[in-house]
């Protein structure tokens, strides 16, 4: 048996303030850390009451990380298309969550849908283009 847990996941951002507003104000996550270095910023957010699970919003390819300018350009292009990064969230009330997020002007990708593989979910994009899928927890 493994005692490993998922502690941090990383999503890229292009505009720290826009991403912060989405994750804090729209999704309701708490801000756990906000670190700046030169003109870059790493923001750690997570759901209230779940201190062991966080998302770190980070620059897509900070200098010195071994990624070329061409590779960074490709990452930014993929982010714009919404094909670079994604995260799956879950809620006990998908319809209420969808209505709340839709009312906030979040970009809707998919309305609540019963998937053929047994999950009911919806999808949004965050300000950087990351796909945010939200599935309904089984009762």
């Amino acid at each position: 048996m493994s005692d490993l847990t998922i502690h941090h996941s990383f999503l890229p951002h292009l505009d720290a303030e826009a991403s912060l507003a989405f994750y804090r104000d729209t999704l309701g996550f708490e801000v756990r850390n906000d670190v700046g270095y030169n003109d870059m910023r790493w923001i750690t957010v997570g759901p209230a009451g779940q201190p062991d699970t966080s998302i770190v919003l980070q620059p897509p390819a900070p200098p010195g990380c071994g990624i070329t300018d061409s590779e960074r350009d490709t990452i930014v292009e993929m982010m714009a298309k919404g094909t670079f990064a994604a995260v799956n969230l879950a809620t006990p009330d998908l319809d209420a969550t969808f209505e709340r997020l839709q009312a906030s002007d979040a970009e809707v990708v998919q309305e609540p849908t019963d998937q053929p593989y047994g999950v009911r979910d919806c999808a949004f994009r965050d300000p950087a283009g990351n796909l945010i899928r939200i599935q309904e927890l089984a009762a």
Side-chain angles (χ1 to χ4, degrees):
M1 174 186 286
S2 173
D3 60 356
L4 294 175
T5 60
I6 297 174
H7 190 61
H8 288 96
S9 294
F10 293 81
L11 290 176
H13 72 74
L14 296 172
D15 178 333
E17 286 302 318
S19 291
L20 177 61
F22 177 80
Y23 285 91
R24 181 193 57 208
D25 305 335
T26 302
L27 292 182
F29 283 1
E30 60 187 22
V31 178
R32 299 185 178 149
N33 205 358
D34 192 339
V35 177
Y37 178 75
N38 292 331
D39 60 348
M40 298 173 288
R41 203 161 152 199
W42 287 258
I43 304 167
T44 304
V45 296
Q50 298 177 41
D52 294 332
T53 303
S54 300
I55 297 172
V56 180
L57 306 168
Q58 65 175 3
C65 70
I67 294 177
T68 66
D69 289 343
S70 175
E71 290 169 331
R72 183 185 189 285
D73 292 344
T74 299
I75 290 170
V76 171
E77 288 173 16
M78 292 177 70
M79 289 170 65
K81 293 179 183 176
T83 58
F84 184 71
V87 65
N88 282 11
L89 306 175
T91 179
D93 189 343
L94 184 65
D95 291 319
T97 300
F98 177 82
E99 293 301 323
R100 183 173 56 82
L101 295 178
Q102 185 179 38
S104 72
D105 294 329
E107 181 185 345
V108 176
V109 175
Q110 174 205 300
E111 295 189 3
T113 303
D114 292 321
Q115 301 292 352
Y117 41 86
V119 171
R120 185 163 188 272
D121 66 0
C122 66
F124 292 86
R125 288 201 201 289
D126 77 4
N130 300 307
L131 184 64
I132 311 297
R133 297 201 71 85
I134 304 171
Q135 74 178 56
E136 189 164 68
L137 292 171

